[in-house]
Amino acid sequence: LMAALQDAPPLPFFVAMALLPVVGVPLAPLLVAAGATFGVRLGLAGSLLALACNLVVSYRVARSGLRPSLTRLFRRFDYELPNFDGQPSHALRFTLMVKFAPGVPAFVKNYGLAVAGVPFTLYFVSSLLITGAYSALLILLGESLFAHETNKVLWVAGAILVALVGVYLWRRRTNGRSDTAPAGGSA
């Protein structure tokens, strides 16, 4: 496997990384493979470009194909899809909740945000920052695993653990705050 990966050309790999997650292929193994195959610099640059393309394609598919179909379906049951036009703080809060939701596949999050009417700029920037941060960690992990650098593996694993604990504490804090908010909406 390592011999095949060492000789892999970068362009087809990163094109596949941009398109495969649109149909549900997990991104994490591709990121680890990018770090192991192309090293940190090319792995990061190619992966971020592939991620940006993936986000654009996912948004386009969801807005032009899924949202109209789901809108018609939901209207049959007297329900409207959310629309965050003119509500940037609500859209940001919703986007962060979706992006930090544990266990939900990335492609479902991307489609969900686009279908929910989150503006493209907010969707793209927040998704690129959040996914880009954990992508960098997975690329470093892949590069250090296959280079047999135990110290680097431990540092990256520690950084991933700290990030996960941070997200958990942030979600716990925001959930606790909404539970204790006054019913009238004013403080």
Side-chain angles (χ1 to χ4, degrees):
L1 178 63
M2 282 308 297
L5 285 175
Q6 294 295 337
D7 297 331
L11 185 60
F13 180 86
F14 291 117
V15 168
M17 183 184 277
L19 298 177
L20 289 175
V22 172
V23 294
V25 173
L27 186 60
L30 296 171
L31 293 166
V32 172
T37 305
F38 304 111
V40 174
R41 286 188 182 161
L42 182 57
L44 277 173
S47 295
L48 287 178
L49 185 58
L51 177 61
C53 292
N54 173 268
L55 292 171
V56 170
V57 170
S58 295
Y59 193 87
R60 181 77 177 139
V61 166
R63 289 298 284 223
S64 63
L66 292 176
R67 185 169 170 90
S69 300
L70 288 174
T71 299
R72 286 190 300 275
L73 176 67
F74 281 32
R75 282 190 180 146
R76 284 185 183 170
F77 298 101
D78 293 327
Y79 184 78
E80 293 290 326
L81 285 174
N83 192 353
F84 292 105
D85 290 338
Q87 301 173 337
S89 65
H90 292 166
L92 177 60
R93 190 174 321 132
F94 179 76
T95 301
L96 292 176
M97 285 179 16
V98 169
K99 291 309 280 184
F100 287 130
V104 179
F107 81 101
V108 172
K109 293 177 184 182
N110 292 341
Y111 286 153
L113 290 172
V115 166
V118 171
F120 176 76
T121 304
L122 174 63
Y123 158 84
F124 184 78
V125 170
S126 62
S127 295
L128 196 60
L129 288 174
I130 293 167
T131 308
Y134 87 75
S135 296
L137 291 173
L138 290 174
I139 289 167
L140 285 169
L141 181 65
E143 191 262 341
S144 58
L145 277 174
F146 289 102
H148 302 291
E149 297 176 8
T150 309
N151 289 339
K152 198 184 265 187
V153 170
L154 292 174
W155 278 104
V156 172
I160 291 171
L161 182 63
V162 166
L164 289 172
V165 168
V167 167
Y168 169 76
L169 292 174
W170 175 77
R171 288 186 53 99
R172 186 172 166 190
R173 182 175 160 231
T174 57
N175 286 343
R177 200 174 339 148
S178 65
D179 291 342
T180 61
S186 60

